[in-house]
Amino acid sequence: MIRPSFYFKVPWRKAAAFRRELAKIPDSIPHIVTSFPTGEIAFMFPDLPVHQYIRVVRIFGENGIPLVISENECMI
């Protein structure tokens, strides 16, 4: 299980395209996918080495949104 530290929120209709792009990366980048009640999808990532983070940012076209979770909060 990974401990997410940032995420990208995308519309449901674009989620499959982002998943395909991530699958094309030869050295697999750990991530999990979850959904919001609004119908948006979140691709969540742990802290990544800079070279992997740059690849992910190129796929999504922007920097990830920091995920702030308190120690008492349960995550997935």
Side-chain angles (χ1 to χ4, degrees):
M1 184 167 121
I2 67 169
R3 290 187 59 94
S5 66
F6 67 96
Y7 67 98
F8 296 91
K9 191 170 18 173
V10 301
W12 179 262
R13 68 183 183 282
K14 294 184 178 183
F18 285 112
R19 185 172 263 187
R20 281 191 297 273
E21 288 301 312
L22 287 169
K24 289 180 185 177
I25 298 174
D27 52 341
S28 178
I29 296 178
H31 66 282
I32 56 176
V33 180
T34 189
S35 63
F36 291 106
T38 59
E40 294 171 300
I41 302 297
F43 286 83
M44 304 173 86
F45 298 86
D47 287 333
L48 296 173
V50 174
H51 71 280
Q52 286 184 329
Y53 182 75
I54 290 170
R55 294 180 91 168
V56 170
V57 167
R58 286 183 181 153
I59 290 171
F60 288 92
E62 61 187 345
N63 284 314
I65 301 166
L67 183 64
V68 180
I69 300 174
S70 71
E71 288 185 26
N72 298 330
E73 227 175 311
C74 183
M75 183 66 193
I76 301 178

